[in-house]
Each structure stands twice: as structure tokens, then as C-alpha cells.
Amino acid sequence: MTDMRGTAMRGWRRSDGRKGIRNYVAVAYLVECAHHVSKEIAWPYREAGAHVIGFPGCYPNAYALKMMQRLCTHPNVGAVLLISLGCEGFNKKLLERTIRDSGRPVQLLAIQENGGTRATIQKGRDWVEAQLKDLAAQPTEPMDVSELVVGTICGGSDATSGLTANPAMGRAFDFLVEEKAAAIFEETGELIGMEDWMAERAVTPELGIELKACVAKAARYYETLGYPSFAPGNADGGLTTIEEKSLGAYAKSGASPIAGIIKPGDIPPRGGLYLLDVVPDGEVRFGFPNISDNAEIAELIACGSHVILFSTGRGSVVGSALAPVIKVCANPRTYARMADDMDVNAGRILEGTADLDTVGREIFDLIKQVGAGEMTKSEGLGHQEFILTYKSFEPIGPACLPAVA
Amino acid sequence: MENSDTDPRLLVLAPGDNIAVARLEIADGTVLQVAGRSVTLQRAMGFGHKLALRDIAAGERIVKYGAPIGSATVAIALGDYVHSHNVASNYMASTVPVEAAL
């Protein structure tokens, strides 16, 4: 992959007008039965730009299909190899067509029709190798901050997360939105108690109503699952009310007006701040909405995120397939223990050696450096986690994306 | 962001906030500068716990990082410890008994 460190952001332009900050080959399994073959195909090229994604389920699911369509045509993806067992329910022909229509090279290999494991791995590797060569020769174009989509998430949180890393990322979000980038925050289940305050930031009153409904849906969903929103341990940590607890997660959104609500796979129509509604619609089905952080990261990426800002206090180590993850460490002690895994030390705010603006600016500058080719810590360590499970969603309502006045 | 007239052990999160947060555990009886006034802590404060930066009237919003996190249930004086004994949620009744919180 071309090393663009130290220069301005450049991107690979795709047929839909978006630009990628990476030029990867996605190797996508269409059922768990094809996962091993996919991993084996990608393994020799894992540092050269081959990333494994996929859906493990055998039964078809509209959400999973949309996610895979969006991920396989993500601007950071230049070519896609689809690995099918052969008898799974996934609509592979539609996925293949979607990728081909986007102008990307695509190859579909069914293991049952290609002589089994060994032969399919060989065919797959030959194809990936050829694609990587072609991708390396593709030209880049200058890329502006306004062309970026950035997502944010927190994981492995502790009492420092809401005090340092989350608000610092919120400040970076404000800088991004000022320069007309799209910024996406989520975790509606952790915004309970903040929705009235949040609704006041909506660009239209109708959107404000939708924001409240979105959080109410999350509250109902988690209540059904028996997931408590405020536990005695929170009070021991100095949190007095549910609003205060949610404020910690909410701080990731910064202070910009909220331009809209999107659902997984919806791409922000323009720059601005968006809430990603990750909680399924309808009755509780398929268990927990997001079984771990990477499920949400995959959804943020399916919405077009080029880069993910990940706040952690206890010390998460994950990265992601397809998009670089910037790790912002909230806790200075965790940073000292795990500096190799962390891109930014927001714990300095707690120690009094940096303020929120300084750390927010540092995160913003790092996003641009990563957009110019610099590898994040998790990228350098080879983290390429990916999770996609079953969900069901209704399309967003008309009030969720108000037109620009 | 830092109030020079407030003890560095207290973190003032945003301009306009009426509470500050302890950066570390602070012992009972510690004398702290809060907004230019000398205050003796009436109880130990854990990391992340809150202290009033100014007098707050009963019913007034408690503002942290620029956002309301509840309202004062009684008058709170500058330097007072702020938690569930003098603040209630505006969203729902606190699910935590006061004794558990203190």
C-alpha cells in the first residue's frame, strides 16, 4: 500500500463520488461455513490490504444483506472476493451485482463448486494477489476534511471515560462538523435521560421528537432484556442521576446541532452531526442489539465511516476490518500500562497537563494524518476484528433527515 | 478551562458549570480553594465525585459539562459535596436509595 505519511489527505475516488482513505480487498464469507476458507485466503495478504468480513448466519436477513452491500461498496474497499459454501441462504447474486454495479472488481467463489477447501483457497489467493497489484497502481486524488465520515464509540469504559476521552472526542467532532465532515455518534441505550437536552440540539422540532422516540425505543428494548440503566455501583463512582451517567456517553457528540438520525447502512447525505440508531425496530428479537463493540463499529463503517474514534478507560485493544480505529485512552494509568495500543492519551486532562481543547485538536489532527496514510496503533498491530449478526430494522421516517434549509 | 482560583485537585469541566469533579480521592477535612474561597471538606471525596463551585438555590439545575444532570433538592452552598442527598434527577426518581449512594 502506498505510504502517504506526512502529506495532505488523499483518497481513492469511487464511482459514487466518495473517496477512500484505504484501498483494501475485502474477502467476505457469506456463511460461517465459508469463514475458514476466507481467513486462509486473506492470511498471507493481511498486511498488504486483504481484510476479512462476513455474515455467519445460514438464514437470510435483510439487515445483514444491507450491511454487506454497504461494507463491500465502502469507499475504503477497492475489490471484493465473495466466498460462499454454496447452499447458504444469503442472497449472494444480489450482493455480487451491487458490487459489480459500483465499478469494483468482484469474484464469487462457491466452495462446493470449486473443489473444496484447498482448491478454493488457492483460487482465492490468486485472485486477491492480482487485485492487490492492480489496486496499488490506482491513482489517488486530494481529499478534503469535508469528504470524511467519522464514527465514535466507547468501550471498556470506566469512571474516567466520561470526564476525559468522551468530551475530547466530542470536541474533535465539533472541529470536524465545522469543516463540514459528517460525524456519527450512537449507543442510544446509553443516552437515556439526555434525550430532552439532546432534542433541543435538533435542527428541526420534528427531528427532536424522533430523537426522543429513538432513546425511548432503546430504553424499552434494554428493559425487556433486563439490562439495568442505573446501578448502585454508578452512585459509588460519584454519579448521582441517570442523566449524569448518560452525560458521559453523550459527551462524545460534542456541541454541534444534530442534523439527523440514520440507521445501520444509511449514509449521511451531507456534513453534520448524526445519531446512528443501532437498536432494532419491533419486538425484541435475536437477543442483544450489539453483542460487543465491534458490532457497532461495523455498523458505523456500513454508514460510510472512514475512521472510528474509540474511547476506552479500562483499555480495549480492538481495531476493525475496513476502517482504521483511533484509540483515545481516558485513564492515565491505563495509558501508562497499554501505551502500545493507544493513539491518544486523554488522561492528561485528569492529570491537569492538557485541557479538553488541546486533546480534541490532537484527535482532529490525527484523523487527518490517518487520512493521509498514517497507520493507527491497532492497524499496526494487525487488529481487524469484525462482527455481524441478525437484526431487523424499519427504514427511517421522513423527519429523521430534514432537508437543508 | 482551569479556574486558577480553584484547587488543582478539582476539575472544572466546562465554563458555566456549577460543580467541579475530584481528580483524585481527597481526604475528609482537607482545606481547598474553591472559586477563590477557602473550604474545609466535611467528608472524603472519591475520584469523580462532585463539589459545588458556587451557591446553588433549591430547584436550580446542576450543570456538568454544560448539561443539566438534575436539580438541587435543597439549597447547596459553595464547597458543599453534591450527590443524591441534595440532588434529584429531572428525568425519573433516582433508582438508588440515598444511603446506598452515601
Side-chain angles (χ1 to χ4, degrees):
Chain A
M1 160 163 294
T2 322
D3 189 348
M4 301 185 301
R5 239 170 294 186
T7 59
M9 282 207 302
R10 296 186 68 86
W12 285 268
R13 176 185 285 277
R14 310 301 178 190
S15 64
D16 59 6
R18 293 187 290 167
K19 288 176 193 161
I21 61 166
R22 299 290 185 267
N23 206 14
Y24 292 143
V25 176
V27 179
Y29 57 92
L30 305 181
V31 62
E32 182 58 25
C33 320
H35 193 168
H36 171 72
V37 168
S38 303
K39 268 196 303 201
E40 286 295 315
I41 290 169
W43 186 251
Y45 311 104
R46 66 191 186 281
E47 288 177 4
H51 284 216
V52 178
I53 62 170
F55 179 62
C58 187
Y59 297 93
N61 177 256
Y63 155 82
L65 176 61
K66 181 179 178 183
M67 285 286 292
M68 288 296 282
Q69 286 174 305
R70 293 305 197 198
L71 291 163
C72 289
T73 58
H74 185 280
N76 288 354
V77 174
V80 185
L81 177 63
L82 301 175
I83 303 297
S84 158
L85 175 62
C87 50
E88 72 274 10
F90 199 97
N91 193 340
K92 56 192 173 205
K93 289 291 170 197
L94 179 55
L95 179 59
E96 185 189 23
R97 194 160 68 239
T98 305
I99 300 163
R100 182 164 296 124
D101 288 350
S102 80
R104 288 170 175 80
V106 57
Q107 173 76 49
L108 171 62
L109 293 179
I111 298 167
Q112 289 165 352
E113 292 160 18
N114 280 279
T117 300
R118 198 179 307 275
T120 310
I121 291 172
Q122 195 50 54
K123 280 184 189 169
R125 284 183 181 171
D126 290 347
W127 194 83
V128 168
E129 198 162 315
Q131 294 310 312
L132 286 169
K133 272 203 192 82
D134 289 352
L135 293 181
Q138 283 179 356
T140 56
E141 295 177 17
M143 185 166 169
D144 189 66
V145 173
S146 64
E147 298 178 274
L148 277 176
V149 182
V150 179
T152 184
I153 179 176
C154 48
S157 298
D158 69 11
T160 64
S161 302
L163 293 176
T164 61
N166 290 356
M169 297 197 315
R171 197 54 58 95
F173 259 30
D174 292 341
F175 298 142
L176 285 166
V177 170
E178 265 170 38
E179 297 203 16
K180 302 195 173 359
I184 309 171
F185 70 111
E186 45 90 55
E187 293 172 325
T188 44
E190 293 174 22
L191 297 174
I192 299 164
M194 274 287 123
E195 61 267 42
D196 291 344
W197 182 245
M198 184 164 70
E200 289 177 29
R201 289 169 60 195
V203 291
T204 65
E206 293 76 21
L207 175 62
I209 293 166
E210 293 287 348
L211 284 167
K212 288 192 210 179
C214 192
V215 177
K217 180 179 75 169
R220 267 199 317 277
Y221 210 94
Y222 283 99
E223 208 173 275
T224 310
L225 291 168
Y227 196 65
S229 49
F230 196 87
N234 294 136
D236 296 341
L239 298 176
T240 304
T241 61
I242 180 73
E243 297 99 295
E244 187 178 12
K245 182 188 175 186
S246 294
L247 173 61
Y250 174 74
K252 295 200 298 298
S253 68
S256 308
I258 297 171
I261 299 173
I262 54 175
K263 290 185 181 178
D266 296 339
I267 293 156
R270 63 190 74 85
L273 177 66
Y274 296 84
L275 174 65
L276 170 60
D277 178 6
V278 299
V279 175
D281 294 310
E283 61 187 282
V284 174
R285 214 181 313 181
F286 307 132
F288 268 85
N290 290 301
I291 56 171
S292 57
D293 297 327
N294 279 98
E296 284 154 282
I297 292 175
E299 291 180 332
L300 288 164
I301 296 171
C303 294
S305 296
H306 295 89
V307 177
I308 305 295
L309 302 180
F310 189 121
S311 146
T312 185
R314 300 282 295 274
S316 171
V317 300
V318 304
S320 177
L322 306 191
V325 173
I326 293 176
K327 220 67 87 5
V328 181
C329 188
N331 188 325
R333 287 177 202 162
T334 304
Y335 185 84
R337 273 200 309 273
M338 301 177 69
D340 266 5
D341 284 283
M342 303 299 163
D343 296 283
V344 176
N345 177 11
R348 282 142 61 217
I349 295 167
L350 207 59
E351 295 174 320
T353 57
D355 64 13
L356 201 55
D357 280 324
T358 307
V359 178
R361 181 62 65 178
E362 192 179 317
I363 295 167
F364 178 63
D365 290 341
L366 183 55
I367 293 168
K368 290 186 284 187
Q369 285 161 26
V370 169
E374 185 169 319
M375 289 227 269
T376 65
K377 292 289 180 70
S378 49
E379 271 187 302
L381 291 162
H383 283 283
Q384 294 178 11
E385 288 85 350
F386 184 84
I387 298 174
L388 178 59
T389 56
Y390 285 91
K391 273 192 182 184
S392 49
F393 280 99
E394 300 296 329
I396 54 167
C400 290
L401 285 177
V404 217
Chain B
M1 172 92 35
E2 221 54 55
N3 270 11
S4 54
D5 53 356
T6 293
D7 193 286
R9 285 170 284 188
L10 297 172
L11 181 60
V12 181
L13 294 165
D17 283 6
N18 53 16
I19 55 97
V21 173
R23 286 186 203 274
L24 64 178
E25 185 145 343
I26 309 174
D28 184 15
T30 305
V31 179
L32 294 169
Q33 284 294 112
V34 179
R37 296 245 302 269
S38 199
V39 169
T40 305
L41 273 193
Q42 300 303 311
R43 48 155 292 154
M45 275 180 80
F47 159 72
H49 288 240
K50 301 176 290 294
L51 185 125
L53 281 173
R54 58 172 178 79
D55 294 336
I56 301 167
E60 207 181 321
R61 279 172 157 190
I62 307 298
V63 181
K64 178 181 178 182
Y65 258 136
I69 57 160
S71 295
T73 50
V74 294
I76 300 172
L78 180 149
D80 277 359
Y81 178 66
V82 175
H83 207 346
S84 29
H85 62 294
N86 51 16
V87 175
S89 169
N90 294 326
Y91 186 74
M92 56 171 82
S94 177
T95 54
V96 181
V98 172
E99 313 83 70
L102 293 176

